[in-house]
Amino acid sequence: MTEKIIENFKLSQICGSGQCFRMERIGEDTFRVLAGDRYLEARQQGMRCTFSCPEEEFAKFWQNYFDLEEDYGKYIRQINPRDGYLTRAAAFGDGIRILRQDLWEMIVSFLISQQNNIVRIRRCIGNICEKYGEPRVNFRGEPYWAFPTPESLAPLEEDELKDCNLGYRSKYVVRAARAVVSGERDLEQIKGLPYRKAREELLQFFGVGEKVADCICLFALHQLEAFPVDTHIRQALEAHYKRGFPNRRYRGSRGVMQQYIFYYELLGAKEERIE
DNA sequence: TATCAGGCCCTAG
DNA sequence: CTAGGGCCTGAT
C-alpha cells in the first residue's frame, strides 16, 4: 500500500458526474473507487487528493484511469467566452475528467442505466458483482468483488439477473455476455475502431441504443467526439441552444462539454434557480 | 392508484 | 420514418 498525492484534482467532481457507478463517498472527505477488479481509497482536501492503493498500481492503472496526464485547461480555453451558459457550466464542473474505464464494464453498466436512476443503478451493479464477480480483499483486509466477466454471465438464463434487480434489462446483459463469449462481438476489435465505427458496432448489441452507445464510446473508448443525449441534456439544449449545439467549434471535445453541461444540470443549475 | 425515471425494441400506420 | 405501447422496479 502506498499514498500518492495528486494536486489540482477533485474526486468529488467525478463522483457525481454519472460516469462511474462504483465510486462512492465513504466519509466527510473520503472516497472509495472500484474499477474492474481493483480497489482504491482517496482523501480529498481542497484541490489536493491523496490516493491509497497498492504500490505500483497507481502508475500502472489509476493514473490512466483518471486521465491524469491530460491537461483539461485546453478544453476549457476552447469555450466561447460569449457562451455564458457553457462558461458557467465548465467553471462549476472544473476538475471533471473523462475516465478511461473498461469496455465490458461500461457496456453492462449503461445497459443497466437505461430508464433507471443512479441509486438503483449502483445497487444493481453491486448485486451482480457480489453474486457473479470474483471475491477480493482490499488493503485493509476487507472483502470486495470484482466486476463479473462475460464468461461468468453468459451461462445464465435471460431472466436470471432479475434476481439482482435488473428487471427487463436482465436479458440485455445476458445476451451481451453471450455475444462476447461466443465471439459474435469482439471487444478488442471495437477498441481499435474510430468513433463512428465503434458506435455502429456497439449498436449491434441487443439493448444498446444511441444514448447508451455514446456513453460507452465516451467513458470506455475515450472517444471525446461522442455526445450522449439523454433527457437532461435534451432539456438543456432546448433551453440554451435553440439553434443547436455548436458542434463545429467543439469538434473532438464535445464529450467533455457534454459532461460539464450534464454535471451542471444535475447539481449546479438548481442552486442558481433558487437565487 | 398513477406516473415516470439518465431507453430501447418492436409493431403499425 | 415516426408514433406509441410494453418492459422491471422503486420513488413520489
Side-chain angles (χ1 to χ4, degrees):
Chain A
M1 219 278 287
T2 185
E3 292 210 331
K4 180 79 191 174
I5 294 171
I6 300 107
E7 301 289 351
N8 229 342
F9 178 70
K10 284 193 91 171
L11 196 55
S12 51
Q13 293 287 67
I14 298 165
C15 192
S17 72
Q19 297 181 50
C20 171
F21 302 106
R22 299 172 80 205
M23 181 181 307
E24 61 179 332
R25 194 184 285 265
I26 56 175
E28 184 75 18
D29 55 358
T30 52
F31 298 84
R32 175 185 4 246
V33 187
L34 296 163
D37 63 348
R38 296 171 195 270
Y39 181 99
L40 170 77
E41 283 185 22
R43 192 169 66 254
Q44 185 75 52
Q45 294 152 306
M47 290 300 283
R48 168 180 296 178
C49 191
T50 309
F51 283 10
S52 301
C53 60
E55 192 84 38
E56 287 192 14
E57 198 174 273
F58 174 76
K60 208 173 71 187
F61 183 80
W62 295 110
Q63 191 168 22
N64 175 62
Y65 180 83
F66 285 108
D67 200 25
L68 294 178
E69 306 279 75
E70 199 59 68
D71 167 28
Y72 278 64
K74 75 181 181 195
Y75 300 123
I76 302 222
R77 284 191 293 274
Q78 249 190 305
I79 295 173
N80 185 345
R82 291 185 305 181
D83 185 339
Y85 174 72
L86 192 51
T87 301
R88 284 197 304 281
F92 183 80
D94 187 22
I96 283 180
R97 281 160 187 279
I98 308 297
L99 304 185
R100 295 173 183 267
Q101 301 186 77
D102 177 72
L103 178 54
W104 169 245
E105 190 168 334
M106 290 303 98
I107 290 171
V108 174
S109 298
F110 285 95
L111 278 172
I112 292 173
S113 79
Q114 64 187 87
Q115 202 67 23
N116 210 341
N117 60 66
I118 291 184
V119 177
R120 193 176 146 210
I121 296 166
R122 307 173 68 91
R123 212 169 47 230
C124 289
I125 291 174
N127 290 342
I128 63 171
C129 289
E130 279 201 33
K131 190 143 184 196
Y132 300 103
E134 284 281 314
R136 296 291 161 105
V137 177
N138 68 17
F139 57 77
R140 298 180 185 283
E142 300 161 346
Y144 72 97
W145 286 267
F147 197 84
T149 61
E151 288 76 13
S152 65
L153 298 178
L156 302 187
E157 297 295 328
E158 292 198 346
D159 282 348
E160 211 163 334
L161 290 176
K162 288 183 181 176
D163 296 345
C164 292
N165 213 308
L166 298 216
Y168 67 89
R169 306 159 194 85
S170 173
K171 63 174 173 292
Y172 297 163
V173 173
V174 174
R175 286 203 204 176
R178 290 181 190 161
V180 170
V181 170
S182 72
E184 183 192 340
R185 309 241 80 80
D186 182 349
L187 298 185
E188 289 311 309
Q189 183 236 340
I190 293 175
K191 289 178 188 174
L193 297 176
Y195 168 56
R196 281 287 160 196
K197 292 284 181 195
R199 188 177 193 271
E200 251 175 66
E201 274 299 304
L202 291 168
L203 286 171
Q204 300 304 308
F205 282 96
F206 182 68
V208 173
E210 302 196 353
K211 188 268 181 181
V212 168
D214 275 331
C215 284
I216 299 168
C217 283
L218 188 53
F219 303 135
L221 303 176
H222 210 74
Q223 295 289 353
L224 302 186
E225 179 60 17
F227 190 92
V229 177
D230 55 45
T231 54
H232 290 168
I233 293 291
R234 182 165 290 119
Q235 283 170 20
L237 293 180
E238 280 166 12
H240 303 284
Y241 298 97
K242 289 198 175 60
R243 328 224 108 170
F245 190 74
N247 291 317
R248 191 87 44 83
R249 182 183 185 102
Y250 302 113
R251 189 170 47 195
S253 58
R254 302 162 69 218
V256 182
M257 304 306 158
Q258 190 271 7
Q259 277 293 284
Y260 290 140
I261 294 171
F262 182 82
Y263 184 68
Y264 188 53
E265 288 298 317
L266 202 67
L267 298 175
K270 276 179 194 158
E271 295 168 17
E272 283 201 356
R273 281 197 290 273
I274 291 168
E275 289 174 26

